[in-house]
Amino acid sequence: MSSGVLVIFDQNQGQVRHVILEILTVARSLALGPVTALTFGTDASKTLDILSEYGADRVLFWEQEPFTQYSSDGFADAIASVVPELDPAVILFPASAWGKDLSPRLAELLNAGLATDCLSLRTNEDNRVIATRPMYAGKVLAEVQIDTPIQMFSIRPNINAAVPSPTTPVVLDIPPVISETSFKAVVTERKEVQSGVQELTEADIIVSGGRGIKAPENFKLLDQLAEALGAAVGSSRPVADDGWVPHSYHIGQTGKVVSPTVYFAIGISGAIQHLAGISGSKYIVAINNDPEAPIFKVANYGIVGDLFQVVPRLTEEIRALKATN
Ligand SMILES: Cc1cc2nc3c(=O)[nH]c(=O)nc-3n(C[C@H](O)[C@H](O)[C@H](O)COP(=O)(O)OP(=O)(O)OC[C@H]3O[C@@H](n4cnc5c(N)ncnc54)[C@H](O)[C@@H]3O)c2cc1C
């Protein structure tokens, strides 16, 4: 009978995203059997230490060619070929761009149900998983149960705690079966669009600007605030559409879904499509000169005022606070 949880994730030079540690913690909390971690590419085995710190019982590294470059069809075929041997009851992915691309392909190959972008997972009395996930642009939270033998879920970053639980993992040696027609589309080059800047979906603090910023050069005010706070910078969609910032900044229903501890919405009205991307934020701080702006309905803290006066003052205060601590 199927048992255990298979956690599938990407890694870069042996580094894993924080969400992977969160997912390992979720996987253990389900108590459905061994937690197996599977990752790909050069340096995959360098993740062994962190995987053992966060409770992986078994690990599987595919480091060799052709796993050094991402291919959604190739990776999905390879994983599907070893699932019968691993026989997991549950398969988990990060709800990152990578996980969102790969998980539906695998679900289709395994004929398994998939619930995406889940906030939390728990088991019911029959040891089936109940997932909580947002629906209708975050307006409701739904509880979802999957009825196929294999249950698949992707987990939103920064929602669950990452709790260490040291283990001594068994390193599995299970080669995948790949046909000649696997690896049709392969990533051949990666370009860092925001080099040196934190990835929005991983950031703990985000400073985000909207059309109230008025002109692209005024984004420097947000860069300064972000630097003082150690935050990442994001934006509403029209600002990215107009080319004031790269599209990688765009947050919302059609952009990135973020879940920081603190989200600063600056000169952003709070349209439903923007809120869909920020509802996982723990605290929302709104700065807007219109007291009726919808963003104030969801904000935990609000400043009604002209951002061109408020943001530089805030930056100054934060710098001063940091200097005294
Ligand atoms: C299908 C669809 C998908 C969409 N997806 C997204 C999405 O993913 N993300 C997204 O963001 N939008 C999305 N949109 C667009 C969305 O509907 C809104 O148009 C957009 O979010 C508004 O952006 P904004 O708040 O920056 O601009 P505006 O609505 O123009 O708001 C600007 C705000 O700045 C304030 N302001 C102006 N001057 C100042 C000042 N000096 N000081 C302080 N405040 C000031 C104003 O009071 C106002 O509240 C989508 C729309 C559609 C139809």
Side-chain angles (χ1 to χ4, degrees), residues 210-212 214 236-239 250-255 267-271 273-274 287-290 293 305-308:
R211 256 198 304 231
K214 305 273 193 295
S236 66
R237 174 172 162 172
V239 161
H250 161 192
I251 291 169
Q253 187 183 325
T254 46
I268 292 179
S269 57
Q273 295 89 353
H274 188 78
I287 301 172
N288 199 301
N289 61 4
D290 175 6
D306 182 351
L307 72 89
F308 296 100

Side-chain angles (χ1 to χ4, degrees), residues 25-56:
T25 307
V26 170
R28 284 198 332 267
S29 75
L30 297 174
L32 292 173
V35 173
T36 307
L38 166 58
T39 191
F40 310 83
T42 316
D43 293 330
S45 55
K46 286 191 182 163
T47 62
L48 182 62
D49 284 352
I50 192 85
L51 296 177
S52 65
E53 194 183 335
Y54 282 85

Side-chain angles (χ1 to χ4, degrees), residues 208-219:
S208 203
R211 256 198 304 231
I213 298 285
K214 305 273 193 295
E217 56 274 19
N218 296 332
F219 253 84

Side-chain angles (χ1 to χ4, degrees), residues 3 11 30 34 47 49-50 57 65 89 109 125 142 147 161 165 174 193 210 228 237 248 251 290 303 320 322:
S3 72
Q11 61 83 32
L30 297 174
T47 62
D49 284 352
I50 192 85
D57 300 301
E65 291 287 345
L109 292 174
E125 58 284 358
D147 292 329
S165 172
I174 308 177
V193 280
R237 174 172 162 172
S248 55
I251 291 169
D290 175 6
I303 302 174
K322 280 195 150 176

